[in-house]
Coordinates of all heavy atoms in Angstrom, one line a residue:
M1 N 0.9 -1.2 0.0 CA 0.0 0.0 0.0 C 0.9 1.2 0.0 O 1.8 1.3 0.8 CB -0.9 0.0 1.3 CG -1.9 1.1 1.3 SD -3.0 1.0 2.8 CE -3.9 -0.5 2.5
W2 N 0.7 2.1 -0.9 CA 1.5 3.3 -1.0 C 0.9 4.5 -0.2 O 1.7 5.4 0.2 CB 1.6 3.8 -2.5 CG 2.4 2.8 -3.3 CD1 1.9 1.9 -4.1 CD2 3.8 2.7 -3.3 NE1 2.9 1.2 -4.7 CE2 4.1 1.7 -4.2 CE3 4.8 3.4 -2.7 CZ2 5.4 1.3 -4.5 CZ3 6.1 3.0 -3.0 CH2 6.4 2.0 -3.9
E3 N -0.4 4.5 0.0 CA -1.0 5.6 0.8 C -2.0 5.0 1.8 O -2.6 4.0 1.5 CB -1.7 6.6 -0.2 CG -0.8 7.3 -1.1 CD -1.5 8.2 -2.0 OE1 -2.8 8.2 -2.0 OE2 -0.9 9.0 -2.8
L4 N -2.2 5.7 2.9 CA -3.2 5.3 3.9 C -4.1 6.5 4.1 O -3.6 7.5 4.5 CB -2.5 4.9 5.2 CG -3.4 4.4 6.3 CD1 -3.9 3.0 5.9 CD2 -2.6 4.4 7.6
D5 N -5.3 6.3 3.7 CA -6.3 7.4 4.0 C -6.7 7.4 5.4 O -7.0 6.4 6.0 CB -7.6 7.1 3.1 CG -7.3 7.2 1.7 OD1 -6.5 8.0 1.2 OD2 -8.0 6.5 0.9
I6 N -6.6 8.6 6.0 CA -6.9 8.8 7.4 C -8.0 9.8 7.6 O -8.2 10.7 6.8 CB -5.7 9.1 8.3 CG1 -5.0 10.5 7.8 CG2 -4.6 8.0 8.3 CD1 -4.0 11.0 8.7
V7 N -8.6 9.8 8.8 CA -9.6 10.7 9.2 C -9.2 11.3 10.5 O -9.0 10.6 11.5 CB -11.0 10.1 9.3 CG1 -12.0 11.1 9.8 CG2 -11.5 9.4 8.0
C8 N -9.0 12.6 10.5 CA -8.6 13.3 11.8 C -8.7 14.8 11.6 O -8.9 15.3 10.5 CB -7.1 12.9 12.1 SG -5.9 13.5 11.0
L9 N -8.5 15.5 12.7 CA -8.5 17.0 12.6 C -7.1 17.4 12.0 O -6.1 16.7 12.1 CB -8.5 17.6 14.1 CG -9.9 17.3 14.8 CD1 -9.7 17.8 16.2 CD2 -11.0 18.0 14.1
P10 N -7.1 18.6 11.3 CA -5.9 19.0 10.7 C -4.7 19.1 11.6 O -3.6 18.9 11.2 CB -6.3 20.4 10.1 CG -7.8 20.4 10.0 CD -8.3 19.5 11.1
T11 N -5.0 19.4 12.9 CA -3.9 19.5 13.8 C -3.3 18.2 14.3 O -2.2 18.1 14.9 CB -4.4 20.3 15.1 OG1 -5.5 19.6 15.6 CG2 -4.7 21.7 14.7
N12 N -4.0 17.1 14.0 CA -3.6 15.7 14.4 C -3.0 14.9 13.2 O -2.7 13.7 13.4 CB -4.8 14.9 14.9 CG -5.3 15.5 16.2 OD1 -4.6 16.2 16.9 ND2 -6.5 15.1 16.6
I13 N -2.8 15.6 12.0 CA -2.2 14.8 10.9 C -0.8 14.4 11.3 O 0.1 15.2 11.6 CB -2.2 15.7 9.6 CG1 -3.6 16.1 9.2 CG2 -1.5 15.0 8.5 CD1 -3.7 17.0 8.1
P14 N -0.5 13.1 11.2 CA 0.8 12.6 11.5 C 1.8 12.8 10.4 O 1.4 12.8 9.2 CB 0.6 11.1 11.8 CG -0.6 10.8 11.0 CD -1.5 12.0 11.0
H15 N 3.0 13.1 10.7 CA 4.0 13.4 9.7 C 4.5 12.0 9.1 O 4.9 12.0 7.9 CB 5.2 14.1 10.2 CG 4.9 15.5 10.6 ND1 4.8 16.5 9.7 CD2 4.7 16.0 11.9 CE1 4.5 17.6 10.4 NE2 4.4 17.4 11.7
H16 N 4.5 11.0 9.9 CA 4.9 9.7 9.4 C 4.2 8.6 10.3 O 3.8 8.9 11.4 CB 6.4 9.5 9.4 CG 7.0 9.6 10.7 ND1 7.3 10.8 11.4 CD2 7.4 8.6 11.6 CE1 7.8 10.5 12.6 NE2 7.9 9.2 12.7
L17 N 4.2 7.4 9.9 CA 3.8 6.2 10.7 C 4.9 5.2 10.7 O 5.6 5.0 9.7 CB 2.5 5.6 10.1 CG 1.3 6.4 10.0 CD1 0.2 5.7 9.3 CD2 0.8 6.8 11.4
E18 N 5.1 4.6 11.8 CA 6.2 3.6 11.9 C 5.6 2.2 12.1 O 4.6 2.1 12.8 CB 7.1 4.0 13.1 CG 7.9 5.2 12.9 CD 8.9 5.5 14.0 OE1 9.1 4.6 14.8 OE2 9.4 6.6 14.1
A19 N 6.3 1.2 11.6 CA 5.9 -0.1 11.8 C 7.1 -1.0 12.1 O 8.2 -0.8 11.4 CB 5.2 -0.7 10.5
D20 N 7.1 -1.8 13.0 CA 8.2 -2.7 13.4 C 8.2 -3.9 12.5 O 7.3 -4.7 12.5 CB 8.1 -3.1 14.9 CG 9.3 -3.9 15.4 OD1 10.3 -3.9 14.7 OD2 9.1 -4.6 16.4
V21 N 9.3 -4.1 11.7 CA 9.4 -5.2 10.8 C 10.5 -6.2 11.2 O 10.9 -7.1 10.5 CB 9.7 -4.7 9.4 CG1 8.5 -3.9 8.8 CG2 11.0 -3.8 9.3
T22 N 11.1 -6.0 12.4 CA 12.2 -6.8 12.8 C 11.9 -8.3 13.0 O 12.7 -9.1 12.7 CB 12.8 -6.3 14.2 OG1 11.8 -6.3 15.1 CG2 13.4 -4.9 14.0
N23 N 10.7 -8.6 13.3 CA 10.3 -10.0 13.5 C 9.6 -10.7 12.3 O 9.1 -11.8 12.4 CB 9.4 -10.2 14.7 CG 10.1 -9.8 16.0 OD1 11.3 -10.0 16.2 ND2 9.4 -9.2 16.9
L24 N 9.6 -10.0 11.2 CA 8.9 -10.5 10.0 C 9.9 -11.4 9.2 O 11.0 -11.2 9.1 CB 8.5 -9.4 9.1 CG 7.4 -8.4 9.6 CD1 7.0 -7.4 8.6 CD2 6.1 -9.2 10.0
G25 N 9.3 -12.5 8.7 CA 10.0 -13.4 7.8 C 9.6 -13.3 6.4 O 8.7 -12.4 6.1
V26 N 10.1 -14.1 5.5 CA 9.7 -14.0 4.1 C 8.3 -14.4 4.0 O 7.8 -15.3 4.7 CB 10.6 -15.0 3.3 CG1 10.1 -15.0 1.9 CG2 12.1 -14.6 3.4
H27 N 7.5 -13.7 3.2 CA 6.1 -13.8 3.0 C 5.2 -13.4 4.2 O 4.0 -13.6 4.1 CB 5.7 -15.3 2.6 CG 6.5 -15.7 1.4 ND1 6.4 -15.2 0.1 CD2 7.4 -16.7 1.2 CE1 7.2 -15.8 -0.7 NE2 7.8 -16.7 -0.1
D28 N 5.8 -12.8 5.2 CA 5.0 -12.2 6.3 C 4.5 -10.8 5.8 O 5.1 -10.2 5.0 CB 5.8 -12.1 7.6 CG 6.0 -13.4 8.2 OD1 5.3 -14.4 7.9 OD2 6.9 -13.5 9.1
S29 N 3.4 -10.4 6.4 CA 2.8 -9.1 6.0 C 2.4 -8.3 7.3 O 2.2 -8.8 8.3 CB 1.5 -9.3 5.2 OG 1.8 -10.0 4.0
I30 N 2.3 -7.0 7.0 CA 1.8 -6.0 8.0 C 0.5 -5.6 7.5 O 0.4 -5.1 6.3 CB 2.7 -4.8 8.2 CG1 4.0 -5.3 8.8 CG2 2.1 -3.8 9.1 CD1 5.1 -4.2 9.0
H31 N -0.6 -5.7 8.3 CA -1.9 -5.3 7.9 C -2.3 -3.9 8.5 O -1.6 -3.5 9.5 CB -2.9 -6.3 8.3 CG -2.7 -7.6 7.7 ND1 -1.9 -8.6 8.2 CD2 -3.2 -8.2 6.5 CE1 -1.9 -9.6 7.4 NE2 -2.7 -9.4 6.4
V32 N -3.3 -3.3 8.0 CA -3.8 -2.0 8.6 C -4.0 -2.1 10.1 O -3.7 -1.3 10.8 CB -5.0 -1.5 7.8 CG1 -5.6 -0.3 8.5 CG2 -4.7 -1.2 6.4
K33 N -4.6 -3.3 10.5 CA -4.9 -3.5 11.9 C -3.7 -3.5 12.8 O -3.7 -3.3 14.0 CB -5.7 -4.8 12.1 CG -5.0 -6.0 11.8 CD -5.8 -7.2 11.9 CE -5.0 -8.5 11.6 NZ -5.8 -9.7 11.6
D34 N -2.5 -3.8 12.2 CA -1.2 -3.9 12.9 C -0.6 -2.5 13.2 O 0.3 -2.4 14.0 CB -0.2 -4.8 12.2 CG -0.7 -6.2 12.0 OD1 -1.5 -6.7 12.9 OD2 -0.4 -6.8 11.0
L35 N -1.1 -1.5 12.5 CA -0.5 -0.1 12.6 C -1.0 0.5 13.9 O -2.2 0.4 14.2 CB -0.9 0.7 11.4 CG -0.3 0.3 10.1 CD1 -0.9 1.2 9.0 CD2 1.2 0.3 10.1
V36 N -0.1 1.2 14.6 CA -0.5 2.0 15.7 C -0.7 3.4 15.3 O 0.3 4.1 15.0 CB 0.5 1.8 16.9 CG1 0.1 2.7 18.1 CG2 0.8 0.4 17.2
L37 N -1.9 3.9 15.2 CA -2.2 5.2 14.8 C -2.3 6.2 16.0 O -2.7 5.7 17.1 CB -3.6 5.3 14.1 CG -3.7 4.4 12.8 CD1 -5.1 4.5 12.3 CD2 -2.7 4.9 11.8
P38 N -1.8 7.4 15.8 CA -1.8 8.3 17.0 C -3.3 8.6 17.5 O -4.2 8.3 16.7 CB -1.2 9.6 16.4 CG -0.5 9.2 15.1 CD -1.2 8.0 14.6
K39 N -3.4 9.1 18.6 CA -4.7 9.4 19.2 C -5.4 10.4 18.4 O -4.8 11.4 17.9 CB -4.5 10.0 20.7 CG -5.8 10.1 21.4 CD -5.5 10.6 22.8 CE -6.8 10.7 23.6 NZ -6.6 11.0 25.0
G40 N -6.7 10.2 18.1 CA -7.5 11.1 17.3 C -7.4 10.8 15.8 O -7.9 11.5 15.0
V41 N -6.7 9.8 15.4 CA -6.5 9.4 14.0 C -7.1 8.0 13.8 O -6.8 7.1 14.5 CB -5.0 9.4 13.6 CG1 -4.8 9.0 12.2 CG2 -4.4 10.8 13.9
R42 N -7.9 7.9 12.7 CA -8.4 6.6 12.3 C -8.3 6.5 10.8 O -8.1 7.5 10.1 CB -9.8 6.4 12.8 CG -10.9 7.4 12.3 CD -12.3 7.2 12.9 NE -13.2 8.2 12.4 CZ -13.9 8.0 11.3 NH1 -13.8 7.0 10.6 NH2 -14.8 9.0 11.0
T43 N -8.5 5.3 10.3 CA -8.4 5.1 8.9 C -9.7 4.5 8.3 O -10.5 3.9 9.0 CB -7.2 4.1 8.5 OG1 -7.1 4.0 7.1 CG2 -7.4 2.8 9.2
K44 N -9.9 4.8 7.0 CA -11.1 4.3 6.3 C -10.8 2.9 5.7 O -11.7 2.2 5.3 CB -11.4 5.2 5.1 CG -11.8 6.6 5.5 CD -12.1 7.4 4.3 CE -12.6 8.8 4.6 NZ -12.9 9.5 3.3
H45 N -9.6 2.4 5.7 CA -9.2 1.2 5.1 C -9.7 0.0 5.9 O -9.9 0.0 7.1 CB -7.7 1.1 4.9 CG -7.2 2.0 3.8 ND1 -7.3 1.7 2.5 CD2 -6.6 3.2 4.0 CE1 -6.7 2.7 1.8 NE2 -6.3 3.6 2.7
D46 N -9.9 -1.1 5.2 CA -10.3 -2.4 5.8 C -9.1 -2.9 6.7 O -8.0 -2.8 6.3 CB -10.5 -3.5 4.7 CG -10.9 -4.8 5.3 OD1 -11.4 -4.9 6.4 OD2 -10.6 -5.8 4.5
P47 N -9.4 -3.3 7.9 CA -8.3 -3.7 8.8 C -7.5 -4.9 8.3 O -6.3 -5.0 8.7 CB -9.0 -4.1 10.1 CG -10.4 -3.4 10.0 CD -10.7 -3.3 8.6
E48 N -8.0 -5.6 7.4 CA -7.3 -6.8 6.9 C -6.5 -6.4 5.6 O -5.8 -7.3 5.1 CB -8.3 -7.9 6.5 CG -9.0 -8.5 7.7 CD -8.0 -9.1 8.7 OE1 -7.0 -9.8 8.3 OE2 -8.2 -8.9 9.9
S49 N -6.5 -5.2 5.2 CA -5.7 -4.8 4.0 C -4.3 -4.9 4.3 O -3.8 -4.5 5.4 CB -6.1 -3.3 3.6 OG -7.4 -3.2 3.2
V50 N -3.5 -5.3 3.3 CA -2.0 -5.5 3.5 C -1.3 -4.1 3.2 O -1.6 -3.5 2.2 CB -1.5 -6.6 2.6 CG1 0.0 -6.6 2.7 CG2 -2.1 -7.9 2.9
V51 N -0.5 -3.7 4.2 CA 0.3 -2.5 4.0 C 1.6 -2.8 3.4 O 2.1 -2.1 2.5 CB 0.5 -1.8 5.4 CG1 1.4 -0.6 5.3 CG2 -0.9 -1.4 6.0
A52 N 2.3 -3.9 3.9 CA 3.6 -4.2 3.4 C 3.8 -5.8 3.5 O 3.3 -6.4 4.4 CB 4.7 -3.5 4.1
T53 N 4.5 -6.3 2.6 CA 4.8 -7.8 2.6 C 6.3 -8.0 2.4 O 6.9 -7.3 1.6 CB 4.1 -8.5 1.5 OG1 2.7 -8.3 1.7 CG2 4.4 -10.0 1.5
V54 N 6.9 -8.9 3.1 CA 8.3 -9.2 2.9 C 8.4 -10.3 1.8 O 7.8 -11.4 1.9 CB 9.0 -9.8 4.2 CG1 10.4 -10.1 3.9 CG2 8.8 -8.8 5.3
A55 N 9.1 -9.9 0.7 CA 9.2 -10.8 -0.4 C 10.6 -11.4 -0.5 O 11.6 -10.7 -0.2 CB 8.8 -10.1 -1.7
G56 N 10.7 -12.6 -1.0 CA 12.1 -13.2 -1.1 C 12.7 -12.8 -2.4 O 12.1 -12.1 -3.3
S57 N 14.0 -13.1 -2.6 CA 14.7 -12.8 -3.8 C 14.2 -13.6 -5.0 O 13.9 -14.7 -4.9 CB 16.2 -13.1 -3.5 OG 16.9 -12.9 -4.7
M58 N 14.1 -12.9 -6.1 CA 13.7 -13.6 -7.3 C 14.8 -14.2 -8.1 O 14.7 -14.8 -9.1 CB 13.0 -12.5 -8.2 CG 11.7 -11.9 -7.6 SD 10.5 -13.1 -7.1 CE 9.9 -13.6 -8.7
R59 N 16.0 -14.0 -7.6 CA 17.2 -14.5 -8.3 C 17.7 -15.8 -7.7 O 17.6 -16.1 -6.5 CB 18.4 -13.5 -8.0 CG 19.6 -13.7 -8.8 CD 20.6 -12.6 -8.6 NE 20.9 -12.6 -7.2 CZ 21.5 -11.6 -6.6 NH1 21.8 -10.5 -7.2 NH2 21.9 -11.7 -5.3
E60 N 18.0 -16.8 -8.6 CA 18.5 -18.1 -8.1 C 20.0 -18.0 -7.7 O 20.8 -17.4 -8.5 CB 18.3 -19.1 -9.2 CG 18.7 -20.5 -8.8 CD 18.6 -21.5 -9.9 OE1 17.8 -21.2 -10.9 OE2 19.2 -22.5 -9.9
E61 N 20.3 -18.5 -6.6 CA 21.7 -18.5 -6.1 C 22.3 -19.8 -6.4 O 21.7 -20.8 -6.1 CB 21.7 -18.1 -4.6 CG 21.2 -16.7 -4.3 CD 21.4 -16.4 -2.8 OE1 22.2 -17.1 -2.1 OE2 20.7 -15.5 -2.4
V62 N 23.5 -19.8 -6.9 CA 24.3 -21.0 -7.2 C 25.3 -21.2 -6.1 O 26.1 -20.3 -5.8 CB 25.0 -20.8 -8.6 CG1 25.8 -22.1 -8.9 CG2 23.9 -20.6 -9.6
A63 N 25.4 -22.4 -5.5 CA 26.3 -22.7 -4.5 C 27.7 -22.7 -5.1 O 28.0 -23.4 -6.1 CB 26.0 -24.0 -3.8
A64 N 28.7 -22.0 -4.5 CA 30.0 -22.0 -5.0 C 30.8 -23.1 -4.3 O 30.7 -23.4 -3.2 CB 30.7 -20.6 -4.7
T65 N 31.7 -23.7 -5.1 CA 32.6 -24.7 -4.5 C 33.7 -24.1 -3.8 O 34.0 -22.9 -3.9 CB 33.2 -25.6 -5.6 OG1 34.0 -24.8 -6.5 CG2 32.1 -26.3 -6.4
A66 N 34.5 -24.8 -3.0 CA 35.6 -24.2 -2.2 C 36.7 -23.7 -3.2 O 37.2 -22.6 -2.9 CB 36.2 -25.3 -1.3
E67 N 36.9 -24.4 -4.3 CA 37.9 -23.9 -5.3 C 37.4 -22.6 -5.9 O 38.2 -21.6 -6.1 CB 38.1 -24.9 -6.4 CG 38.8 -26.2 -5.9 CD 38.9 -27.2 -7.0 OE1 38.5 -27.0 -8.1 OE2 39.3 -28.3 -6.6
G68 N 36.1 -22.5 -6.2 CA 35.6 -21.3 -6.9 C 35.7 -20.1 -5.9 O 35.9 -19.0 -6.3
E69 N 35.4 -20.3 -4.6 CA 35.5 -19.3 -3.6 C 36.9 -18.8 -3.5 O 37.2 -17.6 -3.4 CB 35.0 -19.7 -2.3 CG 33.5 -20.0 -2.3 CD 33.0 -20.6 -0.9 OE1 33.9 -20.8 0.0 OE2 31.8 -20.9 -0.8
T70 N 37.9 -19.7 -3.6 CA 39.3 -19.3 -3.4 C 39.7 -18.5 -4.7 O 40.4 -17.4 -4.6 CB 40.2 -20.5 -3.3 OG1 39.8 -21.3 -2.2 CG2 41.7 -20.1 -3.1
A71 N 39.3 -18.9 -5.9 CA 39.7 -18.2 -7.1 C 39.0 -16.8 -7.1 O 39.6 -15.8 -7.5 CB 39.3 -19.0 -8.3
A72 N 37.8 -16.7 -6.7 CA 37.1 -15.4 -6.6 C 37.7 -14.5 -5.6 O 37.8 -13.3 -5.9 CB 35.6 -15.7 -6.3
A73 N 38.2 -15.0 -4.5 CA 38.8 -14.2 -3.5 C 40.1 -13.6 -4.0 O 40.4 -12.5 -3.6 CB 39.0 -14.9 -2.2
G74 N 40.8 -14.3 -4.8 CA 42.1 -13.9 -5.3 C 42.0 -13.0 -6.5 O 43.0 -12.3 -6.8
A75 N 40.9 -12.9 -7.2 CA 40.8 -12.1 -8.4 C 40.6 -10.6 -8.0 O 40.0 -10.3 -7.0 CB 39.6 -12.6 -9.2
E76 N 41.2 -9.7 -8.8 CA 41.1 -8.3 -8.5 C 40.0 -7.8 -9.4 O 39.9 -8.2 -10.6 CB 42.4 -7.6 -8.8 CG 43.5 -8.0 -7.8 CD 44.8 -7.2 -8.1 OE1 44.7 -6.2 -8.7 OE2 45.8 -7.7 -7.6
P77 N 39.3 -6.8 -9.0 CA 38.2 -6.2 -9.8 C 38.9 -5.4 -11.0 O 40.0 -4.8 -10.8 CB 37.5 -5.3 -8.9 CG 38.4 -4.9 -7.8 CD 39.3 -6.2 -7.7
E78 N 38.2 -5.3 -12.1 CA 38.6 -4.5 -13.2 C 38.5 -3.0 -12.9 O 37.5 -2.6 -12.4 CB 37.8 -4.8 -14.4 CG 38.2 -4.1 -15.6 CD 37.4 -4.4 -16.9 OE1 36.6 -5.3 -16.7 OE2 37.6 -3.8 -17.9
V79 N 39.5 -2.2 -13.2 CA 39.5 -0.8 -12.9 C 39.0 -0.1 -14.2 O 39.6 -0.2 -15.3 CB 40.9 -0.2 -12.6 CG1 40.8 1.3 -12.4 CG2 41.4 -0.9 -11.3
L80 N 37.8 0.5 -14.1 CA 37.2 1.1 -15.3 C 37.9 2.3 -15.8 O 37.9 2.6 -17.0 CB 35.7 1.4 -15.0 CG 34.8 0.2 -14.6 CD1 33.4 0.7 -14.3 CD2 34.8 -0.8 -15.8
K81 N 38.5 3.1 -15.0 CA 39.2 4.3 -15.4 C 40.3 3.9 -16.4 O 40.5 4.6 -17.4 CB 39.8 5.0 -14.2 CG 38.8 5.7 -13.3 CD 39.4 6.4 -12.2 CE 38.4 7.0 -11.3 NZ 39.0 7.7 -10.2
E82 N 41.1 2.9 -16.1 CA 42.2 2.5 -17.0 C 41.6 2.0 -18.4 O 42.1 2.4 -19.4 CB 43.0 1.4 -16.4 CG 43.8 1.8 -15.2 CD 44.7 0.7 -14.6 OE1 44.7 -0.4 -15.3 OE2 45.2 0.9 -13.5
K83 N 40.5 1.3 -18.4 CA 39.9 0.9 -19.6 C 39.4 2.0 -20.4 O 39.6 2.1 -21.6 CB 38.8 -0.1 -19.3 CG 38.2 -0.7 -20.5 CD 37.2 -1.8 -20.2 CE 36.7 -2.5 -21.4 NZ 35.8 -3.5 -21.1
K84 N 38.8 3.1 -19.8 CA 38.4 4.2 -20.5 C 39.6 5.0 -21.1 O 39.5 5.5 -22.2 CB 37.6 5.1 -19.6 CG 36.2 4.6 -19.2 CD 35.5 5.6 -18.4 CE 34.1 5.0 -18.0 NZ 33.3 6.0 -17.2
K85 N 40.7 5.1 -20.4 CA 41.9 5.7 -20.9 C 42.4 5.0 -22.2 O 42.7 5.6 -23.2 CB 42.9 5.8 -19.9 CG 42.7 6.8 -18.8 CD 43.8 6.9 -17.8 CE 43.5 7.8 -16.6 NZ 44.5 7.8 -15.6
E86 N 42.4 3.7 -22.1 CA 42.8 2.9 -23.2 C 41.9 3.1 -24.4 O 42.4 3.2 -25.6 CB 42.9 1.4 -22.9 CG 44.0 1.0 -21.9 CD 43.9 -0.4 -21.4 OE1 43.1 -1.2 -22.0 OE2 44.7 -0.7 -20.5
E87 N 40.6 3.1 -24.2 CA 39.7 3.3 -25.3 C 39.9 4.7 -25.9 O 39.8 4.9 -27.1 CB 38.2 3.2 -24.8 CG 37.9 1.7 -24.5 CD 36.5 1.6 -23.9 OE1 35.8 2.7 -23.7 OE2 36.1 0.5 -23.6
G88 N 40.1 5.7 -25.0 CA 40.4 7.1 -25.5 C 41.6 7.1 -26.3 O 41.7 7.8 -27.3
A89 N 42.7 6.4 -25.9 CA 43.9 6.4 -26.7 C 43.7 5.8 -28.0 O 44.2 6.2 -29.0 CB 45.0 5.7 -25.9
E90 N 42.9 4.7 -28.1 CA 42.7 4.0 -29.3 C 41.9 4.9 -30.2 O 42.1 5.0 -31.4 CB 41.9 2.7 -29.1 CG 42.7 1.6 -28.4 CD 41.9 0.4 -28.0 OE1 40.7 0.4 -28.4 OE2 42.5 -0.5 -27.4
A91 N 40.9 5.6 -29.7 CA 40.1 6.6 -30.5 C 41.0 7.7 -31.0 O 40.8 8.1 -32.2 CB 38.9 7.1 -29.7
G92 N 41.9 8.2 -30.2 CA 42.8 9.3 -30.6 C 43.7 8.8 -31.7 O 44.0 9.5 -32.7
A93 N 44.2 7.5 -31.6 CA 45.1 7.0 -32.6 C 44.4 6.8 -33.9 O 44.9 6.9 -35.0 CB 45.7 5.6 -32.1
A94 N 43.1 6.4 -33.8 CA 42.3 6.2 -35.0 C 42.1 7.6 -35.8 O 42.1 7.6 -37.0 CB 41.0 5.6 -34.7
K95 N 42.0 8.6 -35.0 CA 41.8 10.0 -35.6 C 43.1 10.5 -36.3 O 43.0 11.2 -37.3 CB 41.3 10.9 -34.6 CG 39.8 10.6 -34.2 CD 39.4 11.6 -33.2 CE 38.0 11.3 -32.7 NZ 37.5 12.3 -31.7
K96 N 44.2 10.2 -35.7 CA 45.5 10.8 -36.2 C 45.8 10.4 -37.7 O 46.1 11.2 -38.5 CB 46.6 10.4 -35.3 CG 46.6 11.1 -34.0 CD 47.8 10.7 -33.1 CE 47.7 11.5 -31.8 NZ 48.8 11.1 -30.9
P97 N 45.6 9.1 -38.1 CA 45.8 8.7 -39.5 C 44.9 9.5 -40.4 O 45.3 9.9 -41.5 CB 45.6 7.2 -39.5 CG 45.8 6.7 -38.1 CD 45.4 7.9 -37.3
E98 N 43.7 9.8 -40.0 CA 42.8 10.5 -40.8 C 43.3 11.9 -41.1 O 43.3 12.4 -42.1 CB 41.4 10.6 -40.2 CG 40.7 9.2 -40.2 CD 39.3 9.3 -39.5 OE1 38.9 10.4 -39.1 OE2 38.7 8.3 -39.2
A99 N 43.9 12.5 -40.0 CA 44.4 13.8 -40.1 C 45.6 13.8 -41.1 O 45.8 14.7 -41.9 CB 44.8 14.4 -38.7
G100 N 46.4 12.7 -41.0 CA 47.5 12.6 -41.9 C 47.1 12.4 -43.3 O 47.7 12.9 -44.2
K101 N 46.0 11.7 -43.6 CA 45.5 11.6 -44.9 C 45.1 12.9 -45.5 O 45.3 13.2 -46.7 CB 44.3 10.6 -44.9 CG 44.7 9.2 -44.7 CD 43.5 8.3 -44.7 CE 43.9 6.9 -44.3 NZ 42.7 6.0 -44.3
K102 N 44.5 13.8 -44.7 CA 44.1 15.1 -45.1 C 45.3 15.9 -45.5 O 45.3 16.6 -46.5 CB 43.3 15.8 -44.1 CG 41.9 15.3 -43.8 CD 41.2 16.0 -42.8 CE 39.8 15.4 -42.5 NZ 39.1 16.1 -41.4
D103 N 46.4 15.8 -44.7 CA 47.6 16.5 -45.0 C 48.2 16.0 -46.3 O 48.7 16.8 -47.1 CB 48.6 16.4 -43.9 CG 48.2 17.1 -42.6 OD1 47.4 18.0 -42.7 OD2 48.7 16.8 -41.5
D104 N 48.2 14.7 -46.5 CA 48.7 14.1 -47.8 C 47.9 14.6 -49.0 O 48.5 14.8 -50.0 CB 48.7 12.6 -47.7 CG 49.7 12.0 -46.7 OD1 50.6 12.8 -46.4 OD2 49.5 10.9 -46.2
A105 N 46.6 14.7 -48.8 CA 45.8 15.2 -49.9 C 46.1 16.6 -50.3 O 46.0 17.0 -51.4 CB 44.3 15.0 -49.5
K106 N 46.5 17.4 -49.3 CA 46.8 18.8 -49.6 C 48.1 19.0 -50.4 O 48.3 19.9 -51.1 CB 46.9 19.6 -48.3 CG 45.6 19.8 -47.6 CD 45.8 20.6 -46.3 CE 44.5 20.8 -45.5 NZ 44.7 21.5 -44.3
K107 N 49.0 18.0 -50.2 CA 50.3 18.1 -50.8 C 50.2 17.7 -52.2 O 50.3 17.7 -53.2 CB 51.3 17.2 -50.1 CG 51.7 17.7 -48.7 CD 52.7 16.8 -48.1 CE 53.0 17.3 -46.7 NZ 53.9 16.5 -46.0

């Protein structure tokens, strides 16, 4: 639920509502009836309406072998800055021969 309609006096409008999610497991939900509303505030929603649900990961995890873990731990991440510099140097080198061709055409 993205919004919760409430009924209260303008002076009682809460800035936020808090819900304790520490004891929730996968597929557990918080319902409107579980929310603690401030004094003088009530809601129009059905008490059984779901406010939030804890969902599991949609990605399949593959178990790594001991050798795979060791190899992954020893591998260094690729540095993107160096790769960009190399690409820029290659692009610059590609432009230089074209400039040379123009000079040759003028002679």
Side-chain angles (χ1 to χ4, degrees):
M1 184 178 295
W2 291 100
E3 295 179 353
L4 182 71
D5 294 329
I6 59 169
V7 178
C8 66
L9 295 173
T11 56
N12 292 343
I13 298 174
H15 293 283
H16 66 278
L17 296 174
E18 293 184 12
D20 185 15
V21 296
T22 55
N23 295 325
L24 295 179
V26 176
H27 304 295
D28 286 345
S29 299
I30 294 177
H31 297 86
V32 171
K33 66 182 178 185
D34 300 327
L35 296 176
V36 178
L37 299 174
K39 186 175 183 176
V41 178
R42 61 182 177 90
T43 182
K44 295 180 179 181
H45 291 280
D46 178 27
E48 294 300 321
S49 294
V50 176
V51 176
T53 300
V54 179
S57 175
M58 299 300 290
R59 188 176 63 193
E60 181 179 339
E61 294 184 20
V62 179
T65 62
E67 293 174 5
E69 290 175 3
T70 305
E76 293 184 21
E78 180 181 355
V79 178
L80 296 178
K81 289 181 181 179
E82 290 179 12
K83 187 172 183 178
K84 286 183 181 180
K85 287 180 183 178
E86 290 173 8
E87 288 175 0
E90 290 173 6
K95 290 181 182 179
K96 287 181 183 178
E98 290 177 10
K101 289 180 183 177
K102 288 180 184 177
D103 290 339
D104 291 338
K106 289 181 184 178
K107 292 181 183 177

